[in-house]
């Protein structure tokens, strides 16, 4: 069951969570990603699904 989305930083070959916050929708996660990229444009971020 999908419970939400988490913001991940891409550090090849792994992904690591940016925080413990789980966002209810992909849109909210993408909004937070955009806010962070405005301040730190050289960071590679993705929204990943969280399953229970």
């Amino acid at each position: 069951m999908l419970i939400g989305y988490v913001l991940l930083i891409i550090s090849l070959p792994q992904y690591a969570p940016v925080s413990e916050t789980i966002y209810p929708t992909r849109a909210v996660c993408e909004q937070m990603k955009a806010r962070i990229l405005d301040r730190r444009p050289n960071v590679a971020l993705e929204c990943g699904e969280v399953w229970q």
Side-chain angles (χ1 to χ4, degrees), residues 14-29:
Q14 300 178 29
Y15 291 81
V18 174
S19 70
E20 294 181 4
T21 304
I22 297 176
Y23 302 102
T25 64
R26 180 176 288 277
V28 174
C29 185

Side-chain angles (χ1 to χ4, degrees), residues 1-35:
M1 177 169 131
L2 180 67
I3 61 171
Y5 296 86
V6 67
L7 195 56
L8 303 168
I9 188 165
I10 302 170
S11 176
L12 295 178
Q14 300 178 29
Y15 291 81
V18 174
S19 70
E20 294 181 4
T21 304
I22 297 176
Y23 302 102
T25 64
R26 180 176 288 277
V28 174
C29 185
E30 293 290 341
Q31 288 175 351
M32 184 56 68
K33 175 182 166 183
R35 290 176 63 189

